[in-house]
Amino acid sequence: MQFIADADEAKEIDGISIHEIGIPSFVLMERASLSVADCVLAFAEKGADRILVVCGMGNNGGDGVACGRILAEKGFSVAVLLLGQEKKASEEMKQQLLIARNLSIPVITTALPSEYTIIIDAVFGIGLSRDITGEYAEWVRKINTSGAVIVSVDIPSGIDASTGKVLGAAIRADYTVTFGVKKRGLVLFPGMQYAGQVIVADIGFPAMAVEKVKPKAVSYGREDILTLFPKRIPRSNKGSYGKILVIAGSAQMSGAAFFAAAAAYRMGSGLVKILTHENNRTMLQANLPEALLSTYDGTELFGKGEAAGKGDGKAFSFGKRLAEELQWATTVIIGPGLGQSDTAYFFLKQVLTLRDIPVLVDADGLNLLAKVLEGGDDTLNSIESDGRHFQLPGNFLLTPHLKEMSRLVKRSVEQIKDDMPAACQHISGAVLALKDARTIVSDGERLYINQSGNNALAKGGSGDVLSGMIGGLLALGMPSFEAASLGVYLHGLTAEEYVGKRGFSSMLASDILEELKNLLP
């Protein structure tokens, strides 16, 4: 498991290391500079490359000056370009400039970036919080169009370290050497597109400092699968691994129900029952005979023919049957391919009354939830909403993509994309898996930022498989935050495995199910 820090957490780790533990800031700066120099030395050619170190007046600039000095001592042609007023430089930056000048390293105030083959970006660090404009924005443009290999110090200048947002203008780096822990801005879009290859360098932050801060955001790697995945019990039966009710699939859509149910079984669930439209019976029985099946034809609540709209006597028994199905389940998934009919709305309203078992709401379930919130249905008084924020009971897990999230919280997709962790705060009580190229999972306090996967997952049915995977982990007893996080990680990893053997374009949702065979314990 890897910590991912926002700007404030990274500063706090730095501050604890210096002020509480007593490591001199100059020592940390020297080690940071050495790590950047090591990155450059891995590809630079002495005698062929000309290196320009572009420095602001803060400690990020001090890192850059020190790196330039180290490379000059190694025999490289190096110049240090200062942006800003030297009289406003930090004390560490002033000291690094003194050392550089004592070693006769050129310190200049103007340059043509196109004359250099390697540029080290040390203009702004993680403390930047305002847009880059004017002369600084012009230097960003010159550096980006120079044709040089660009190495950024800690974070590309112009990227918000907490959100990944571009603050006016930003350096497009080929490499970013970041210190101690990864920063959120290097993982989230669009910042990750500006970071190039990210190298996390150990510069001597004590483990005690990181543990004391304990950044809220984490990410998983392959080594975490065996540790986190629920263990099977030597003396067990199918009831030991949960009973999932999948309420999915409408009259014209059977695939979503199949994918969600099959994925739940693939994750190790003991029993999966699908509540779906009668039209889907033949396909599901032929392709997933392991699943239990409960069907409806859409007339149970509202009748048919002359009785349409009045009910035909079946509504009471249908409601009773649904209650029995919900009572049978230890986990419920609702939404994939469900449609937005009155029957589907009835299903969601009943599911929203559940309190004792985990409930995953996806796809059409989320669209129906948005309608519930708009309608202010007084039968659902457990949902507190002010139009842009709402609270659900703690047993719910929502898996919206950006457009579905937009409908739920009444904010534009662009607003949500600008700061996805902040967008999650509009929904409380429930665990939220907000799906994007960098899916994040939030429970209001903790944050999981997913780094697995690729665009091969951009296919119909992929989200339905994810719902089943997370639901399967819930049925195995994993808490909602951990189940969503591990499910998202494994889902992305299947795409990496597939693409490693084939290509990006040909992957189907069914291939995710196949790849899971090779990943799960």
Side-chain angles (χ1 to χ4, degrees), residues 119-274:
I119 295 177
I120 297 172
D121 155 39
V123 184
F124 297 113
I126 62 172
L128 184 69
S129 58
R130 64 186 186 280
D131 281 0
I132 296 177
T133 59
E135 183 181 357
Y136 286 103
E138 180 60 20
W139 275 109
V140 168
R141 186 193 66 77
K142 289 177 181 177
I143 292 168
N144 284 342
T145 58
S146 66
V149 177
I150 301 172
V151 180
S152 285
V153 175
D154 211 13
I155 195 163
S157 294
I159 296 298
D160 187 304
S162 297
T163 67
K165 184 179 179 180
V166 175
L167 298 172
I171 295 293
R172 287 189 176 273
D174 296 288
Y175 300 89
T176 297
V177 182
T178 197
F179 308 133
V181 293
K182 256 187 183 177
K183 314 305 184 292
R184 291 189 192 180
L186 298 173
V187 177
L188 296 171
F189 279 88
M192 68 158 294
Q193 294 175 294
Y194 287 74
Q197 180 180 333
V198 177
I199 299 165
V200 181
D202 178 5
I203 66 166
F205 291 132
M208 181 195 300
V210 179
E211 283 296 327
K212 189 169 184 178
V213 174
K214 202 163 188 178
K216 291 180 180 179
V218 299
S219 190
Y220 293 159
R222 288 175 184 262
E223 68 280 0
D224 296 309
I225 297 174
L226 285 177
T227 304
L228 296 171
F229 200 88
K231 304 293 188 293
R232 293 185 79 81
I233 306 163
R235 191 175 189 179
S236 57
N237 56 60
K238 56 183 178 287
S240 306
Y241 303 106
K243 295 179 286 185
I244 300 180
L245 179 65
V246 179
I247 306 175
S250 56
Q252 287 79 40
M253 189 173 290
S254 59
F258 165 78
F259 286 127
Y265 261 135
R266 188 74 80 195
M267 296 299 284
S269 301
L271 286 168
V272 179
K273 181 184 289 187
I274 307 171

Side-chain angles (χ1 to χ4, degrees), residues 327-346:
Q327 188 174 17
W328 170 86
T330 61
T331 299
V332 171
I333 299 170
I334 182 169
L338 186 61
Q340 298 181 54
S341 66
D342 290 337
T343 303
Y345 188 81
F346 173 76

Side-chain angles (χ1 to χ4, degrees), residues 402 416-424 434-436 438-440:
L402 295 176
I416 294 167
K417 287 169 70 174
D418 271 353
D419 192 343
M420 289 176 61
C424 290
L434 181 53
K435 297 185 291 193
D436 192 25
R438 278 287 188 260
T439 294
I440 65 173

Side-chain angles (χ1 to χ4, degrees), residues 363-376:
D364 282 321
L366 296 166
N367 296 325
L368 290 165
L369 178 58
K371 289 184 178 181
V372 168
L373 295 169
E374 287 174 3

